[in-house]
Amino acid sequence: MNRKCIKIFKQDYPWLFLVCCISLILGIMPFIYCLISFEWKYKLFGFIFLLPVLLIFLISAIFVRGRKQASFVNRFLLVVLNSFVIIFIQIFFCFFILILLSISDVEDKCNQIKYYKLALSKVDQSKTLHFPRSIPKEAKNAEVKSSIFSVFGSEDLYLKFDTSRKFIDNELKKYKFINVCKNGKCKNEKAVAYRYYSGNIDIQGFTFYVINDRESENLPKHNFPYHYGIGVNYDTNQILYYYENPD
């Protein structure tokens, strides 16, 4: 819209100006939120929320330019179109998109070591008490893998890093283990075999010390064969904390 249209817009159509302001606010707020809160690869998606604003402005500009032919039908169509864009696109559809982006962003952050505490906070706290509350100073080449938003309710968390044999021995002394598994074989064979979804974290050549599992705890309302514990590589210079609750 040029200056003349804007002037007419403000003076003759204050209600339409208000509609445009509401649309602008609904577009700017999630856009700024994306820029501030999301990881870089999700920030650009914030521009999606500005598209309905441009559509509202375009519809309004067409109406203002054709004001001489602004019949009742045209006004009615204007109200219907603007209402549809604001209510169904900006409020409902864009809100749904924002939720999906937020979930994807959190999932992405929970697979970065700098957001380890966030990942730890998103899984069952009773099954991750053996995890360190923060990355130990002794840790080197730390990796984290988390899957926390499954439609089936499954979740898992892995933390792996290089460290000393002394650190590993001290960690193993803290717990009693119900099972020890090496090369795919466990000392105490279970009716349900343990499964590991470690993603891009290499767990080949690890001995797994199982702190607890579903069968041993026998808790109600748990359908999945969860298990959790500590893994140690054969060279005893890498430690792996894990909690696995597959679907």
Side-chain angles (χ1 to χ4, degrees), residues 52-227:
V53 179
L54 296 178
L55 182 58
I56 287 286
F57 274 64
L58 178 61
I59 294 172
S60 301
I62 293 173
F63 178 81
V64 171
R65 281 185 176 274
R67 64 191 182 282
K68 292 181 179 181
Q69 292 81 33
S71 64
F72 172 79
V73 174
N74 290 339
R75 289 175 180 271
F76 177 76
L77 289 175
L78 175 69
V79 172
V80 171
L81 287 174
N82 282 347
S83 298
F84 177 81
V85 173
I86 290 177
I87 296 174
F88 291 99
I89 296 181
Q90 288 197 276
I91 295 180
F92 289 103
F93 180 72
C94 285
F95 180 75
F96 178 71
I97 294 296
L98 183 61
I99 293 297
L100 291 181
L101 288 174
S102 297
I103 291 174
S104 299
D105 181 69
V106 171
E107 185 89 43
D108 187 69
K109 287 177 178 177
C110 288
N111 284 278
Q112 298 180 48
I113 201 65
K114 64 180 179 179
Y115 294 109
Y116 167 67
K117 289 185 177 180
L118 174 64
L120 192 61
S121 70
K122 295 296 182 180
V123 296
D124 190 337
Q125 301 298 295
S126 65
K127 308 295 190 301
T128 55
L129 295 176
H130 60 296
F131 278 72
R133 297 302 95 183
S134 59
I135 304 300
K137 294 181 179 180
E138 298 91 341
K140 297 179 181 179
N141 302 317
E143 299 176 85
V144 64
K145 186 266 178 182
S146 175
S147 178
I148 55 178
F149 294 111
S150 169
V151 294
F152 299 106
S154 64
E155 59 182 12
D156 57 67
L157 179 62
Y158 288 79
L159 173 66
K160 174 186 173 184
F161 54 82
D162 299 343
T163 188
S164 65
R165 180 187 293 267
K166 180 180 179 181
F167 178 89
I168 293 174
D169 289 340
N170 288 336
E171 287 295 283
L172 294 179
K173 290 177 182 178
K174 293 179 182 178
Y175 307 98
K176 292 182 178 180
F177 303 105
I178 63 169
N179 214 339
V180 179
C181 302
K182 184 177 181 180
N183 293 327
K185 296 182 179 181
C186 300
K187 288 185 177 180
N188 300 319
E189 292 297 332
K190 293 288 180 180
V192 179
Y194 296 133
R195 293 186 290 171
Y196 302 89
Y197 296 98
S198 56
N200 59 347
I201 293 182
D202 185 9
I203 59 173
Q204 297 297 317
F206 271 74
T207 299
F208 293 93
Y209 299 85
V210 184
I211 294 176
N212 225 326
D213 60 20
R214 182 192 64 179
E215 291 186 69
S216 299
E217 289 189 319
N218 195 27
L219 297 177
K221 298 182 179 179
H222 277 283
N223 299 318
F224 300 143
Y226 68 83
H227 56 102

